[in-house]
Amino acid sequence: MSRPKFNRILLKLSGEVLMGKGQFGIDPATTGRVAGEIKRAREQGYELCIVVGGGNIFRGIAGAAQGIDRASADYMGMLATVMNALAMQNALEQVGVDTRVQSAIPMASVCEPYIRRRAVRHMEKGRVVIFAAGTGSPFFTTDTTAALRAAEMNCDALFKGTSVDGVYDADPKKVEGASRYDSLSFNRVLADNLRVMDASAVALCRDNDIPIVVFNIRDEGNLTKVLDGGGTATIVKNEE
């Protein structure tokens, strides 16, 4: 099934993508490959901004499960996303893509504070803006951050790059024969608890009519294929 093409995209990258085949941390080769794909997308005329997770370094909810205060654990996770954002910025600038990192937690020595109008202006000038530190508040995931920033930046769609090629009716890594959906409604995702993203992120995209496209970012060259409406992915959108 062909999907529509979009112009202004928010790309949500899980932290796990940046660790490549490792068990934790940041793999420079993988980060460089993703940066190359983002560069090709920019050269094709797409406007891009990015939200990156921090699960390759520290995941707040996992820390809370081990006894760390949940709010403190979430702040630790936000700081991990800043590290990933700086790594992504470095990789993009090495391939000639002008970028800005904006953090929801002000840290002037490292990056800009998040200011919506400034971020929009950066995108209008052709820069890739990387949003770090989540929403700046605990108890919200980077999925929710991605949905929020997509709405604030007036993005046409939210592209979620993961390690699977779409949304399935069961975990394809655990359930043999799990079926992939080509298209889903937001309400179906919420009703069936399909875990595309967390419920608040899905509801925010639904209410602002921002389609979510889930695809496998680990397949080399897949980002530009999916942006062009091809490749294998699942699109989640409002019912027509």
Side-chain angles (χ1 to χ4, degrees):
M1 183 192 74
S2 62
R3 293 179 305 280
K5 291 179 64 175
F6 304 100
N7 180 47
R8 178 173 287 186
I9 308 296
L10 187 136
L11 175 62
K12 167 61 168 63
L13 296 173
S14 65
E16 287 84 351
V17 167
L18 301 187
M19 68 187 185
K21 295 181 180 180
Q23 299 299 311
F24 60 88
I26 300 167
D27 176 47
T30 300
T31 307
R33 177 187 62 78
V34 174
E37 295 196 31
I38 293 170
K39 177 183 180 179
R40 288 192 290 275
R42 284 289 303 122
E43 290 171 344
Q44 292 179 8
Y46 294 101
E47 297 179 22
L48 286 162
C49 52
I50 301 170
V51 169
V52 62
N56 57 320
I57 299 171
F58 187 88
R59 188 181 296 277
I61 196 167
Q66 295 175 5
I68 301 175
D69 173 73
R70 174 63 192 270
S72 296
D74 280 354
Y75 281 120
M76 292 165 70
M78 288 180 224
L79 295 177
T81 71
V82 176
M83 296 172 67
N84 283 338
L86 294 175
M88 199 71 245
Q89 179 184 42
N90 178 71
L92 284 165
E93 293 191 338
Q94 283 187 355
V95 295
V97 178
D98 197 12
T99 72
R100 294 291 187 275
V101 174
Q102 290 198 348
S103 170
I105 299 175
M107 44 187 78
S109 298
V110 174
C111 56
E112 296 181 1
Y114 172 66
I115 300 172
R116 187 185 70 85
R117 286 180 177 271
R118 182 182 290 179
V120 170
R121 186 63 177 145
H122 285 321
M123 293 189 69
E124 289 173 348
K125 290 182 176 180
R127 296 167 182 148
V128 172
V129 183
I130 306 170
F131 300 112
T135 64
S137 299
F139 304 101
F140 291 95
T141 68
T142 51
D143 280 349
T144 299
T145 304
L148 176 62
R149 298 289 184 252
E152 290 179 308
M153 295 298 108
N154 296 315
C155 290
D156 302 319
L158 191 165
F159 278 56
K160 182 173 182 179
T162 69
S163 58
V164 292
D165 59 359
V167 181
Y168 286 77
D169 58 2
D171 188 343
K173 296 179 180 178
K174 298 178 180 177
V175 180
E176 187 176 351
S179 298
R180 186 183 63 81
Y181 299 99
D182 284 326
S183 179
L184 281 166
S185 70
F186 288 115
N187 289 334
R188 174 77 181 279
V189 168
L190 292 171
D192 292 357
N193 194 27
L194 291 176
R195 300 185 182 278
V196 175
M197 304 175 84
D198 65 73
S200 57
V202 174
L204 189 55
C205 286
R206 177 194 63 187
D207 295 345
N208 289 279
D209 197 22
I210 301 171
I212 301 171
V213 179
V214 182
F215 70 103
N216 189 345
I217 190 71
R218 293 182 184 271
D219 288 345
E220 189 167 353
N222 208 26
L223 174 59
T224 48
K225 289 179 186 176
V226 175
L227 283 171
D228 287 338
T232 302
T234 299
I235 183 168
V236 184
K237 57 185 180 179
N238 280 317
E239 296 172 337
E240 296 180 358

